[in-house]
mmCIF file of all heavy atoms in Angstrom:
data_model
loop_
_atom_site.group_PDB
_atom_site.id
_atom_site.type_symbol
_atom_site.label_atom_id
_atom_site.label_comp_id
_atom_site.label_asym_id
_atom_site.label_seq_id
_atom_site.Cartn_x
_atom_site.Cartn_y
_atom_site.Cartn_z
ATOM 1 N N SER M 7 8.169 1.594 -0.921
ATOM 2 C CA SER M 7 8.219 1.400 0.436
ATOM 3 C C SER M 7 7.528 2.534 1.287
ATOM 4 O O SER M 7 7.535 3.716 0.680
ATOM 5 C CB SER M 7 9.549 1.255 1.233
ATOM 6 O OG SER M 7 10.328 2.318 1.012
ATOM 7 N N PRO M 8 6.757 2.353 2.399
ATOM 8 C CA PRO M 8 6.468 1.075 2.931
ATOM 9 C C PRO M 8 5.437 0.447 2.077
ATOM 10 O O PRO M 8 4.730 1.018 1.182
ATOM 11 C CB PRO M 8 5.924 1.431 4.361
ATOM 12 C CG PRO M 8 5.316 2.826 4.121
ATOM 13 C CD PRO M 8 6.288 3.537 3.119
ATOM 14 N N LEU M 9 5.065 -0.907 2.429
ATOM 15 C CA LEU M 9 3.946 -1.526 1.740
ATOM 16 C C LEU M 9 2.690 -1.073 2.097
ATOM 17 O O LEU M 9 1.793 -0.921 1.329
ATOM 18 C CB LEU M 9 4.140 -3.113 2.035
ATOM 19 C CG LEU M 9 5.165 -3.873 1.346
ATOM 20 C CD1 LEU M 9 5.220 -5.314 1.912
ATOM 21 C CD2 LEU M 9 5.286 -3.734 -0.007
ATOM 22 N N SER M 10 2.508 -0.715 3.364
ATOM 23 C CA SER M 10 1.304 -0.125 3.887
ATOM 24 C C SER M 10 1.602 0.817 4.984
ATOM 25 O O SER M 10 2.658 0.782 5.598
ATOM 26 C CB SER M 10 0.343 -1.192 4.285
ATOM 27 O OG SER M 10 0.758 -1.941 5.405
ATOM 28 N N LEU M 11 0.662 1.770 5.251
ATOM 29 C CA LEU M 11 0.845 2.744 6.206
ATOM 30 C C LEU M 11 -0.440 3.283 6.770
ATOM 31 O O LEU M 11 -1.414 3.372 6.037
ATOM 32 C CB LEU M 11 1.498 3.965 5.554
ATOM 33 C CG LEU M 11 2.217 5.148 6.184
ATOM 34 C CD1 LEU M 11 3.237 4.680 7.093
ATOM 35 C CD2 LEU M 11 2.745 6.045 5.183
ATOM 36 N N VAL M 12 -0.622 3.357 8.088
ATOM 37 C CA VAL M 12 -1.766 3.846 8.650
ATOM 38 C C VAL M 12 -1.453 5.089 9.457
ATOM 39 O O VAL M 12 -0.601 5.117 10.354
ATOM 40 C CB VAL M 12 -2.472 2.792 9.632
ATOM 41 C CG1 VAL M 12 -3.707 3.324 10.310
ATOM 42 C CG2 VAL M 12 -2.686 1.482 8.984
ATOM 43 N N VAL M 13 -2.113 6.155 9.132
ATOM 44 C CA VAL M 13 -1.824 7.434 9.828
ATOM 45 C C VAL M 13 -3.220 8.094 10.302
ATOM 46 O O VAL M 13 -4.301 7.540 9.853
ATOM 47 C CB VAL M 13 -1.176 8.444 8.886
ATOM 48 C CG1 VAL M 13 0.214 7.864 8.540
ATOM 49 C CG2 VAL M 13 -1.971 8.870 7.768
ATOM 50 N N HIS M 14 -3.173 9.143 10.973
ATOM 51 C CA HIS M 14 -4.378 9.932 11.417
ATOM 52 C C HIS M 14 -4.522 11.322 10.591
ATOM 53 O O HIS M 14 -3.415 11.849 10.186
ATOM 54 C CB HIS M 14 -4.421 10.252 12.875
ATOM 55 C CG HIS M 14 -4.698 8.916 13.710
ATOM 56 N ND1 HIS M 14 -3.575 8.166 14.217
ATOM 57 C CD2 HIS M 14 -5.822 8.338 14.128
ATOM 58 C CE1 HIS M 14 -4.171 7.094 14.887
ATOM 59 N NE2 HIS M 14 -5.498 7.202 14.784
ATOM 60 N N GLU M 15 -5.701 11.635 10.380
ATOM 61 C CA GLU M 15 -5.929 12.951 9.715
ATOM 62 C C GLU M 15 -4.934 14.030 10.328
ATOM 63 O O GLU M 15 -4.811 14.204 11.490
ATOM 64 C CB GLU M 15 -7.308 13.408 9.773
ATOM 65 C CG GLU M 15 -8.294 12.760 8.853
ATOM 66 C CD GLU M 15 -9.630 13.359 8.768
ATOM 67 O OE1 GLU M 15 -10.121 13.743 9.848
ATOM 68 O OE2 GLU M 15 -10.063 13.702 7.655
ATOM 69 N N GLY M 16 -4.398 14.773 9.282
ATOM 70 C CA GLY M 16 -3.576 15.852 9.696
ATOM 71 C C GLY M 16 -2.042 15.472 9.733
ATOM 72 O O GLY M 16 -1.103 16.344 9.665
ATOM 73 N N ASP M 17 -1.701 14.156 9.788
ATOM 74 C CA ASP M 17 -0.371 13.726 9.738
ATOM 75 C C ASP M 17 0.238 13.971 8.329
ATOM 76 O O ASP M 17 -0.411 14.200 7.318
ATOM 77 C CB ASP M 17 -0.289 12.210 9.980
ATOM 78 C CG ASP M 17 -0.511 11.852 11.381
ATOM 79 O OD1 ASP M 17 -0.655 12.895 12.277
ATOM 80 O OD2 ASP M 17 -0.622 10.719 11.656
ATOM 81 N N THR M 18 1.567 14.012 8.262
ATOM 82 C CA THR M 18 2.336 14.181 6.994
ATOM 83 C C THR M 18 2.950 12.720 6.714
ATOM 84 O O THR M 18 3.522 12.140 7.603
ATOM 85 C CB THR M 18 3.456 15.172 7.038
ATOM 86 O OG1 THR M 18 2.792 16.500 7.248
ATOM 87 C CG2 THR M 18 4.334 15.205 5.915
ATOM 88 N N VAL M 19 2.875 12.246 5.482
ATOM 89 C CA VAL M 19 3.387 11.033 5.043
ATOM 90 C C VAL M 19 4.406 11.164 3.808
ATOM 91 O O VAL M 19 4.237 12.173 3.128
ATOM 92 C CB VAL M 19 2.396 10.067 4.744
ATOM 93 C CG1 VAL M 19 1.376 9.732 5.830
ATOM 94 C CG2 VAL M 19 1.597 10.464 3.392
ATOM 95 N N THR M 20 5.345 10.305 3.931
ATOM 96 C CA THR M 20 6.328 10.308 2.898
ATOM 97 C C THR M 20 6.390 8.900 2.259
ATOM 98 O O THR M 20 6.651 7.888 2.977
ATOM 99 C CB THR M 20 7.778 10.671 3.375
ATOM 100 O OG1 THR M 20 7.722 11.992 3.777
ATOM 101 C CG2 THR M 20 8.829 10.622 2.173
ATOM 102 N N LEU M 21 6.195 8.701 0.926
ATOM 103 C CA LEU M 21 6.157 7.433 0.280
ATOM 104 C C LEU M 21 7.417 7.423 -0.567
ATOM 105 O O LEU M 21 7.681 8.325 -1.204
ATOM 106 C CB LEU M 21 4.878 7.316 -0.511
ATOM 107 C CG LEU M 21 3.571 7.557 0.119
ATOM 108 C CD1 LEU M 21 2.361 7.263 -0.745
ATOM 109 C CD2 LEU M 21 3.457 6.710 1.447
ATOM 110 N N ASN M 22 8.102 6.252 -0.567
ATOM 111 C CA ASN M 22 9.294 6.040 -1.202
ATOM 112 C C ASN M 22 9.240 5.127 -2.452
ATOM 113 O O ASN M 22 8.494 4.293 -2.497
ATOM 114 C CB ASN M 22 10.299 5.530 -0.300
ATOM 115 C CG ASN M 22 10.448 6.378 1.021
ATOM 116 O OD1 ASN M 22 10.962 7.444 0.954
ATOM 117 N ND2 ASN M 22 10.120 5.748 2.027
ATOM 118 N N CYS M 23 10.092 5.473 -3.485
ATOM 119 C CA CYS M 23 10.091 4.710 -4.685
ATOM 120 C C CYS M 23 11.553 4.787 -5.233
ATOM 121 O O CYS M 23 12.087 5.720 -5.508
ATOM 122 C CB CYS M 23 9.208 5.326 -5.825
ATOM 123 S SG CYS M 23 9.315 4.523 -7.343
ATOM 124 N N SER M 24 12.139 3.514 -5.326
ATOM 125 C CA SER M 24 13.364 3.382 -5.817
ATOM 126 C C SER M 24 13.412 2.511 -7.126
ATOM 127 O O SER M 24 12.439 1.636 -7.251
ATOM 128 C CB SER M 24 14.435 2.734 -4.847
ATOM 129 O OG SER M 24 13.938 1.377 -4.602
ATOM 130 N N TYR M 25 14.179 2.829 -8.048
ATOM 131 C CA TYR M 25 14.046 2.047 -9.318
ATOM 132 C C TYR M 25 15.494 1.759 -9.945
ATOM 133 O O TYR M 25 16.507 2.367 -9.600
ATOM 134 C CB TYR M 25 13.314 2.953 -10.265
ATOM 135 C CG TYR M 25 13.895 4.329 -10.622
ATOM 136 C CD1 TYR M 25 14.814 4.478 -11.714
ATOM 137 C CD2 TYR M 25 13.610 5.463 -9.855
ATOM 138 C CE1 TYR M 25 15.355 5.662 -12.061
ATOM 139 C CE2 TYR M 25 14.149 6.649 -10.249
ATOM 140 C CZ TYR M 25 15.128 6.780 -11.258
ATOM 141 O OH TYR M 25 15.687 8.038 -11.611
ATOM 142 N N GLU M 26 15.400 0.726 -10.721
ATOM 143 C CA GLU M 26 16.591 0.312 -11.606
ATOM 144 C C GLU M 26 15.987 0.242 -12.974
ATOM 145 O O GLU M 26 15.263 -0.638 -13.288
ATOM 146 C CB GLU M 26 17.147 -1.027 -11.156
ATOM 147 C CG GLU M 26 17.773 -0.989 -9.835
ATOM 148 C CD GLU M 26 18.365 -2.345 -9.274
ATOM 149 O OE1 GLU M 26 18.577 -3.139 -10.252
ATOM 150 O OE2 GLU M 26 18.440 -2.575 -8.091
ATOM 151 N N VAL M 27 16.516 1.047 -13.856
ATOM 152 C CA VAL M 27 16.002 0.925 -15.224
ATOM 153 C C VAL M 27 17.061 1.196 -16.229
ATOM 154 O O VAL M 27 18.045 1.906 -15.919
ATOM 155 C CB VAL M 27 14.826 2.007 -15.473
ATOM 156 C CG1 VAL M 27 14.581 2.845 -14.207
ATOM 157 C CG2 VAL M 27 15.081 2.882 -16.640
ATOM 158 N N THR M 28 16.916 0.670 -17.355
ATOM 159 C CA THR M 28 17.959 0.847 -18.398
ATOM 160 C C THR M 28 17.748 2.011 -19.323
ATOM 161 O O THR M 28 18.634 2.707 -19.751
ATOM 162 C CB THR M 28 18.008 -0.556 -19.280
ATOM 163 O OG1 THR M 28 16.604 -0.770 -19.738
ATOM 164 C CG2 THR M 28 18.603 -1.657 -18.490
ATOM 165 N N ASN M 29 16.470 2.314 -19.610
ATOM 166 C CA ASN M 29 16.188 3.449 -20.473
ATOM 167 C C ASN M 29 15.167 4.389 -19.807
ATOM 168 O O ASN M 29 14.060 4.275 -20.207
ATOM 169 C CB ASN M 29 15.687 2.946 -21.957
ATOM 170 C CG ASN M 29 16.758 2.358 -22.707
ATOM 171 O OD1 ASN M 29 17.818 3.000 -23.044
ATOM 172 N ND2 ASN M 29 16.667 1.090 -22.977
ATOM 173 N N PHE M 30 15.513 5.178 -18.986
ATOM 174 C CA PHE M 30 14.630 6.062 -18.183
ATOM 175 C C PHE M 30 14.212 7.228 -18.956
ATOM 176 O O PHE M 30 15.009 8.002 -19.573
ATOM 177 C CB PHE M 30 15.386 6.535 -16.952
ATOM 178 C CG PHE M 30 14.470 7.476 -16.091
ATOM 179 C CD1 PHE M 30 13.674 6.811 -15.067
ATOM 180 C CD2 PHE M 30 14.508 8.784 -16.249
ATOM 181 C CE1 PHE M 30 12.852 7.719 -14.251
ATOM 182 C CE2 PHE M 30 13.640 9.562 -15.494
ATOM 183 C CZ PHE M 30 12.813 9.094 -14.571
ATOM 184 N N ARG M 31 12.832 7.446 -19.101
ATOM 185 C CA ARG M 31 12.275 8.657 -19.674
ATOM 186 C C ARG M 31 11.627 9.489 -18.658
ATOM 187 O O ARG M 31 11.856 10.751 -18.669
ATOM 188 C CB ARG M 31 11.387 8.183 -20.711
ATOM 189 C CG ARG M 31 11.904 7.610 -22.056
ATOM 190 C CD ARG M 31 10.884 7.336 -23.033
ATOM 191 N NE ARG M 31 10.365 8.470 -23.699
ATOM 192 C CZ ARG M 31 9.186 8.493 -24.388
ATOM 193 N NH1 ARG M 31 8.400 7.318 -24.384
ATOM 194 N NH2 ARG M 31 8.783 9.610 -24.926
ATOM 195 N N SER M 32 10.797 9.001 -17.821
ATOM 196 C CA SER M 32 10.122 9.695 -16.807
ATOM 197 C C SER M 32 9.630 8.803 -15.654
ATOM 198 O O SER M 32 9.546 7.567 -15.812
ATOM 199 C CB SER M 32 8.873 10.446 -17.440
ATOM 200 O OG SER M 32 8.102 9.415 -18.042
ATOM 201 N N LEU M 33 9.294 9.443 -14.587
ATOM 202 C CA LEU M 33 8.744 8.701 -13.494
ATOM 203 C C LEU M 33 7.383 9.320 -13.124
ATOM 204 O O LEU M 33 7.221 10.466 -13.170
ATOM 205 C CB LEU M 33 9.609 8.768 -12.201
ATOM 206 C CG LEU M 33 9.138 7.876 -10.960
ATOM 207 C CD1 LEU M 33 10.536 7.360 -10.373
ATOM 208 C CD2 LEU M 33 8.350 8.663 -10.089
ATOM 209 N N LEU M 34 6.462 8.438 -13.025
ATOM 210 C CA LEU M 34 5.094 8.780 -12.829
ATOM 211 C C LEU M 34 4.441 8.232 -11.548
ATOM 212 O O LEU M 34 4.754 7.105 -11.210
ATOM 213 C CB LEU M 34 4.147 8.330 -14.015
ATOM 214 C CG LEU M 34 4.538 8.955 -15.395
ATOM 215 C CD1 LEU M 34 5.424 8.062 -16.162
ATOM 216 C CD2 LEU M 34 3.299 9.189 -16.265
ATOM 217 N N TRP M 35 3.749 9.167 -10.896
ATOM 218 C CA TRP M 35 2.951 8.622 -9.737
ATOM 219 C C TRP M 35 1.477 8.639 -10.011
ATOM 220 O O TRP M 35 0.968 9.560 -10.569
ATOM 221 C CB TRP M 35 3.157 9.658 -8.618
ATOM 222 C CG TRP M 35 4.563 9.502 -7.736
ATOM 223 C CD1 TRP M 35 5.689 10.197 -8.122
ATOM 224 C CD2 TRP M 35 4.910 8.585 -6.696
ATOM 225 N NE1 TRP M 35 6.679 9.860 -7.129
ATOM 226 C CE2 TRP M 35 6.119 8.778 -6.417
ATOM 227 C CE3 TRP M 35 4.158 7.568 -6.048
ATOM 228 C CZ2 TRP M 35 6.834 8.123 -5.331
ATOM 229 C CZ3 TRP M 35 4.644 6.819 -5.032
ATOM 230 C CH2 TRP M 35 6.055 7.108 -4.687
ATOM 231 N N TYR M 36 0.809 7.542 -9.539
ATOM 232 C CA TYR M 36 -0.677 7.476 -9.713
ATOM 233 C C TYR M 36 -1.278 7.144 -8.232
ATOM 234 O O TYR M 36 -0.659 6.531 -7.455
ATOM 235 C CB TYR M 36 -0.899 6.220 -10.624
ATOM 236 C CG TYR M 36 -0.678 6.496 -12.067
ATOM 237 C CD1 TYR M 36 0.668 6.265 -12.704
ATOM 238 C CD2 TYR M 36 -1.663 6.927 -12.898
ATOM 239 C CE1 TYR M 36 0.862 6.494 -13.925
ATOM 240 C CE2 TYR M 36 -1.424 7.313 -14.237
ATOM 241 C CZ TYR M 36 -0.090 6.986 -14.742
ATOM 242 O OH TYR M 36 0.120 7.199 -16.096
ATOM 243 N N LYS M 37 -2.558 7.589 -8.247
ATOM 244 C CA LYS M 37 -3.357 7.251 -7.059
ATOM 245 C C LYS M 37 -4.481 6.336 -7.544
ATOM 246 O O LYS M 37 -5.130 6.532 -8.455
ATOM 247 C CB LYS M 37 -3.950 8.491 -6.391
ATOM 248 C CG LYS M 37 -4.906 8.230 -5.203
ATOM 249 C CD LYS M 37 -5.540 9.589 -4.823
ATOM 250 C CE LYS M 37 -6.416 9.355 -3.567
ATOM 251 N NZ LYS M 37 -7.136 10.678 -3.208
ATOM 252 N N GLN M 38 -4.543 5.081 -6.766
ATOM 253 C CA GLN M 38 -5.587 4.101 -7.103
ATOM 254 C C GLN M 38 -6.553 3.889 -5.864
ATOM 255 O O GLN M 38 -6.065 3.315 -4.897
ATOM 256 C CB GLN M 38 -5.057 2.829 -7.582
ATOM 257 C CG GLN M 38 -6.025 1.949 -8.149
ATOM 258 C CD GLN M 38 -5.331 0.606 -8.701
ATOM 259 O OE1 GLN M 38 -4.236 0.165 -8.275
ATOM 260 N NE2 GLN M 38 -5.905 0.051 -9.756
ATOM 261 N N GLU M 39 -7.803 4.355 -6.134
ATOM 262 C CA GLU M 39 -8.740 4.260 -4.929
ATOM 263 C C GLU M 39 -9.589 3.070 -5.082
ATOM 264 O O GLU M 39 -9.633 2.174 -4.183
ATOM 265 C CB GLU M 39 -9.607 5.496 -4.950
ATOM 266 C CG GLU M 39 -8.874 6.756 -4.490
ATOM 267 C CD GLU M 39 -9.778 7.940 -4.530
ATOM 268 O OE1 GLU M 39 -10.342 8.046 -3.405
ATOM 269 O OE2 GLU M 39 -9.703 8.794 -5.423
ATOM 270 N N LYS M 40 -10.191 2.830 -6.259
ATOM 271 C CA LYS M 40 -10.972 1.574 -6.385
ATOM 272 C C LYS M 40 -10.499 0.823 -7.653
ATOM 273 O O LYS M 40 -10.065 -0.312 -7.612
ATOM 274 C CB LYS M 40 -12.495 1.910 -6.480
ATOM 275 C CG LYS M 40 -13.037 2.421 -5.196
ATOM 276 C CD LYS M 40 -14.507 2.592 -5.168
ATOM 277 C CE LYS M 40 -15.052 2.883 -3.894
ATOM 278 N NZ LYS M 40 -16.480 3.293 -3.804
ATOM 279 N N LYS M 41 -10.534 1.476 -8.679
ATOM 280 C CA LYS M 41 -10.191 0.727 -10.020
ATOM 281 C C LYS M 41 -9.108 1.536 -10.798
ATOM 282 O O LYS M 41 -7.934 1.129 -10.832
ATOM 283 C CB LYS M 41 -11.371 0.442 -10.870
ATOM 284 C CG LYS M 41 -12.044 -0.927 -10.326
ATOM 285 C CD LYS M 41 -13.067 -1.172 -11.420
ATOM 286 C CE LYS M 41 -13.776 -2.546 -11.075
ATOM 287 N NZ LYS M 41 -14.719 -2.924 -11.973
ATOM 288 N N ALA M 42 -9.538 2.636 -11.413
ATOM 289 C CA ALA M 42 -8.695 3.335 -12.313
ATOM 290 C C ALA M 42 -7.602 4.091 -11.600
ATOM 291 O O ALA M 42 -7.839 4.924 -10.780
ATOM 292 C CB ALA M 42 -9.512 4.322 -13.248
ATOM 293 N N PRO M 43 -6.286 3.849 -11.907
ATOM 294 C CA PRO M 43 -5.178 4.801 -11.361
ATOM 295 C C PRO M 43 -5.429 6.134 -11.924
ATOM 296 O O PRO M 43 -5.669 6.170 -13.178
ATOM 297 C CB PRO M 43 -3.910 4.108 -11.921
ATOM 298 C CG PRO M 43 -4.400 2.617 -12.219
ATOM 299 C CD PRO M 43 -5.717 2.741 -12.618
ATOM 300 N N THR M 44 -5.397 7.120 -11.063
ATOM 301 C CA THR M 44 -5.440 8.529 -11.610
ATOM 302 C C THR M 44 -4.050 9.134 -11.486
ATOM 303 O O THR M 44 -3.388 8.943 -10.433
ATOM 304 C CB THR M 44 -6.484 9.287 -10.716
ATOM 305 O OG1 THR M 44 -6.203 9.326 -9.374
ATOM 306 C CG2 THR M 44 -7.899 8.782 -11.022
ATOM 307 N N PHE M 45 -3.719 9.825 -12.547
ATOM 308 C CA PHE M 45 -2.425 10.535 -12.647
ATOM 309 C C PHE M 45 -2.292 11.630 -11.661
ATOM 310 O O PHE M 45 -3.073 12.524 -11.374
ATOM 311 C CB PHE M 45 -2.352 11.044 -14.029
ATOM 312 C CG PHE M 45 -1.082 11.687 -14.354
ATOM 313 C CD1 PHE M 45 0.062 11.180 -14.611
ATOM 314 C CD2 PHE M 45 -1.144 13.225 -14.296
ATOM 315 C CE1 PHE M 45 1.340 11.892 -14.917
ATOM 316 C CE2 PHE M 45 0.085 13.847 -14.630
ATOM 317 C CZ PHE M 45 1.237 13.321 -14.868
ATOM 318 N N LEU M 46 -1.063 11.543 -10.901
ATOM 319 C CA LEU M 46 -0.740 12.525 -9.954
ATOM 320 C C LEU M 46 0.457 13.494 -10.540
ATOM 321 O O LEU M 46 0.279 14.600 -10.719
ATOM 322 C CB LEU M 46 -0.245 11.926 -8.708
ATOM 323 C CG LEU M 46 -1.311 11.188 -7.868
ATOM 324 C CD1 LEU M 46 -0.646 10.606 -6.628
ATOM 325 C CD2 LEU M 46 -2.431 12.152 -7.463
ATOM 326 N N PHE M 47 1.631 12.905 -10.802
ATOM 327 C CA PHE M 47 2.857 13.721 -11.178
ATOM 328 C C PHE M 47 3.492 12.904 -12.284
ATOM 329 O O PHE M 47 3.607 11.621 -12.183
ATOM 330 C CB PHE M 47 3.689 13.880 -9.949
ATOM 331 C CG PHE M 47 3.189 14.760 -8.847
ATOM 332 C CD1 PHE M 47 2.764 14.172 -7.668
ATOM 333 C CD2 PHE M 47 2.998 16.124 -9.135
ATOM 334 C CE1 PHE M 47 2.426 14.995 -6.592
ATOM 335 C CE2 PHE M 47 2.470 16.864 -8.120
ATOM 336 C CZ PHE M 47 2.161 16.293 -6.766
ATOM 337 N N MET M 48 4.275 13.702 -13.006
ATOM 338 C CA MET M 48 5.312 13.022 -13.867
ATOM 339 C C MET M 48 6.597 13.920 -13.682
ATOM 340 O O MET M 48 6.537 15.172 -13.686
ATOM 341 C CB MET M 48 4.906 13.188 -15.341
ATOM 342 C CG MET M 48 5.836 12.571 -16.266
ATOM 343 S SD MET M 48 5.479 12.645 -17.889
ATOM 344 C CE MET M 48 5.642 14.390 -18.319
ATOM 345 N N LEU M 49 7.679 13.204 -13.423
ATOM 346 C CA LEU M 49 8.937 13.749 -13.150
ATOM 347 C C LEU M 49 10.002 13.215 -14.140
ATOM 348 O O LEU M 49 10.034 12.071 -14.410
ATOM 349 C CB LEU M 49 9.415 13.396 -11.637
ATOM 350 C CG LEU M 49 8.420 13.636 -10.552
ATOM 351 C CD1 LEU M 49 8.613 12.710 -9.461
ATOM 352 C CD2 LEU M 49 8.659 15.137 -10.092
ATOM 353 N N THR M 50 10.710 14.174 -14.752
ATOM 354 C CA THR M 50 11.773 13.879 -15.660
ATOM 355 C C THR M 50 13.111 14.379 -15.268
ATOM 356 O O THR M 50 14.187 13.888 -15.756
ATOM 357 C CB THR M 50 11.379 14.459 -17.053
ATOM 358 O OG1 THR M 50 11.152 15.844 -17.006
ATOM 359 C CG2 THR M 50 10.256 13.796 -17.610
ATOM 360 N N SER M 51 13.146 15.437 -14.436
ATOM 361 C CA SER M 51 14.398 16.128 -14.143
ATOM 362 C C SER M 51 14.647 15.972 -12.620
ATOM 363 O O SER M 51 13.761 16.112 -11.881
ATOM 364 C CB SER M 51 14.273 17.547 -14.546
ATOM 365 O OG SER M 51 14.179 17.670 -15.749
#
Side-chain angles (χ1 to χ4, degrees):
Chain M
S7 64
L9 290 179
S10 64
L11 197 53
V12 180
V13 300
H14 287 92
E15 275 192 316
D17 288 349
T18 293
V19 299
T20 297
L21 310 183
N22 304 294
C23 174
S24 64
Y25 62 90
E26 293 178 21
V27 4
T28 50
N29 289 296
F30 178 90
R31 289 178 75 196
S32 61
L33 188 141
L34 296 92
W35 284 95
Y36 287 87
K37 176 183 181 183
Q38 186 174 30
E39 291 179 82
K40 290 190 178 173
K41 282 193 173 181
T44 53
F45 174 79
L46 293 176
F47 296 110
M48 183 180 71
L49 304 155
T50 55
S51 302

